[in-house]
């Protein structure tokens, strides 16, 4: 359904993004932010799913500044490689990869209002985007690793946010989710009886019921705020 195109950030850096077009009338655009495994077959399928729901979907390669062409699986070696790449991106001088996400938002703006959704590390980047970037109308982080730490909780979103978490997630303790909820009454926080990565049908932690309910809520949220 989609194809890779090149986008250019404000500093002139050129990077690829997977873009999926809706078949019919466009309801708006959704930026889809990858996990630590690259814009792999799962993320492309997620983008395709949002295109099927009527949105222009844009999935930027948020690893491209440190390594091009990353497409990992979900084995232990893949996890280690992804963690190292994430650390390298996080170590970039500010604004780092956020300027690439801003460029993806700008590309989506031609389709109407823009939302953003991200998974795992992409969930953390989605939260940061909601708090710091321009041109968004809604944000949906899925199990954003690190977004319940004090530094991230201290941020304030500029747009409506719906956040999905799993109560079995050993990467994001439930007490930190509850502290996040208390600090951000303006954020819709949904907790599922599921583990980290519950949306990914290529991972052992996949939970079909939680993924289905979270997607229903996400699509309703975007319909409300993007039209």
């Amino acid at each position: 359904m989609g194809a890779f195109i090149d986008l250019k950030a404000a500093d002139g850096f050129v990077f690829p993004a997977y873009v999926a077009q809706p078949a019919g009338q466009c309801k708006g655009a959704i930026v889809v932010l990858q996990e630590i495994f690259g814009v792999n077959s799962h993320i492309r399928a997620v983008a395709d799913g949002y295109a099927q729901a009527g949105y222009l979907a844009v999935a930027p390669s948020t690893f491209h500044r440190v390594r091009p062409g990353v497409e990992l699986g979900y084995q232990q070696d893949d996890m280690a490689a992804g963690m190292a790449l994430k650390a390298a991106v996080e170590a970039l001088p500010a604004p780092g990869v956020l300027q690439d996400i801003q460029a993806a938002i700008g590309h989506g703006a031609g389709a109407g209002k823009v939302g953003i959704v991200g998974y795992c590390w992409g969930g953390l980047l989605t939260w940061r985007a909601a708090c710091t970037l321009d041109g968004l109308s809604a944000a949906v982080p899925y199990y954003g690793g690190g977004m319940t730490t004090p530094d991230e909780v201290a941020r304030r979103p500029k747009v409506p946010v719906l956040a999905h978490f799993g109560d079995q997630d050993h990467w994001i303790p439930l007490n930190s989710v509850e502290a996040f909820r208390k600090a951000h009454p303006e954020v819709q926080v949904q907790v599922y009886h599921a583990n980290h990565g519950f949306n990914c049908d290529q991972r052992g932690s996949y939970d079909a019921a939680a993924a289905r309910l979270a997607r229903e809520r996400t699509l309703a949220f975007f319909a409300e705020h993007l039209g």
Side-chain angles (χ1 to χ4, degrees):
M1 176 175 276
F4 280 93
I5 66 168
D6 284 339
L7 298 180
K8 183 183 287 188
D11 66 349
F13 182 74
V14 176
F15 61 96
Y18 179 79
V19 176
Q21 302 272 354
Q25 185 173 358
C26 193
K27 300 176 181 177
I30 295 176
V31 175
V32 179
L33 297 185
Q34 64 173 68
E35 303 167 297
I36 60 168
F37 307 103
V39 184
N40 61 8
S41 61
H42 169 62
I43 293 299
R44 296 194 300 272
V46 168
D48 289 345
Y50 283 113
Q52 289 164 4
Y55 297 95
L56 174 72
V58 185
S61 174
T62 48
F63 276 160
H64 200 71
R65 285 182 182 266
V66 297
R67 184 180 300 171
V70 176
E71 183 166 349
L72 300 172
Y74 297 94
Q75 302 306 311
Q76 201 61 41
D77 288 351
D78 298 310
M79 180 79 72
M83 293 288 279
L85 288 165
K86 172 196 169 184
V89 174
E90 292 280 316
L92 291 171
V97 75
L98 284 172
Q99 58 197 319
D100 302 341
I101 299 169
Q102 186 69 72
I105 295 167
H107 181 78
K113 292 183 178 180
V114 182
I116 190 167
V117 63
Y119 306 83
C120 181
W121 176 50
L124 171 61
L125 293 176
T126 294
W127 172 245
R128 290 175 180 168
C131 298
T132 63
L133 298 185
D134 297 321
L136 290 171
S137 294
V140 182
Y142 275 72
Y143 34 84
M147 67 177 278
T148 61
T149 60
D151 284 351
E152 297 297 334
V153 171
R155 299 182 188 272
R156 285 289 175 262
K158 303 196 290 183
V159 298
V161 176
L162 165 65
H164 302 297
F165 296 99
D167 65 4
Q168 308 297 305
D169 191 337
H170 64 281
W171 295 101
I172 308 173
L174 195 56
N175 62 347
S176 74
V177 173
E178 292 307 319
F180 178 90
R181 188 202 300 268
K182 184 177 293 186
H184 289 284
E186 78 283 5
V187 174
Q188 293 185 39
V189 175
Q190 299 287 356
V191 178
Y192 304 80
H193 186 60
N195 210 323
H196 191 81
F198 67 76
N199 184 71
C200 179
D201 59 4
Q202 297 182 24
R203 301 176 74 166
S205 55
Y206 175 62
D207 187 295
R212 183 170 55 252
L213 179 55
R215 177 174 166 79
E216 289 172 0
R217 287 169 169 166
T218 298
L219 288 174
F221 189 74
F222 282 141
E224 177 185 356
H225 296 289
L226 305 186

